[in-house]
Amino acid sequence: MVNLWFNIPFAALLLASLTSIQEASIESARDVGANRWQLLQKIILPATYKQFFIAGAFIFMGNVGSFTTPFLMGGNTPQMLGVVLYKEFNQYLDYNRAAALSVILFALCSLSAIVYVIVNMRREKWR
């Protein structure tokens, strides 16, 4: 729950992208008979998909790699990956498992970063 506090700016980014959609576009789509699903699919998602992927990538990488807040909050179950890495390395002295978990953490964050780069490099068809 404490990690939610750090994700509020990214939620604000999502809200800002939703407010950029003009009301006239939604009203004109409703005038020609579009239902809610069609509005979402044809109007809202094409205008906001970049912001959703950017915010999702930042939130994912921030939560996967978070260490300070979960560590200071104490014994939580299930534990965040950063705290597990710390315990494996410093308390249990299991360097091999800590190295393997670090590679998994790096791979997860790399996949998220690749999605972020692909979404940002994609050209828009229309605006």
Side-chain angles (χ1 to χ4, degrees), residues 63-120:
N63 284 332
V64 166
S66 65
F67 172 75
T68 307
T69 305
F71 185 73
L72 293 176
M73 291 302 293
N76 54 351
T77 303
Q79 292 181 349
M80 301 290 283
L81 195 52
V83 176
V84 171
L85 280 171
Y86 174 79
K87 286 184 176 181
E88 290 292 330
F89 191 80
N90 288 328
Q91 289 180 358
Y92 306 134
L93 301 175
D94 192 355
Y95 303 122
N96 294 331
R97 180 174 285 175
L101 288 173
S102 297
V103 169
I104 291 170
L105 178 65
F106 177 75
L108 288 173
C109 288
S110 295
L111 287 174
S112 178
I114 288 170
V115 168
Y116 170 76
V117 169
I118 288 172
V119 167
N120 277 330

Side-chain angles (χ1 to χ4, degrees), residues 10-58:
F10 301 114
L13 173 71
L14 294 175
L15 289 176
S17 70
L18 288 174
T19 59
S20 69
I21 299 171
Q22 295 180 359
E23 190 70 28
S25 300
I26 294 175
E27 287 179 14
S28 62
R30 285 187 181 163
D31 286 343
V32 284
N35 59 20
R36 290 182 184 211
W37 174 250
Q38 290 170 333
L39 279 173
L40 179 70
Q41 186 180 15
K42 301 290 183 183
I43 305 280
I44 296 172
L45 287 180
T48 60
Y49 79 95
K50 277 190 178 183
Q51 288 82 6
F52 277 105
F53 277 113
I54 290 169
F58 284 147

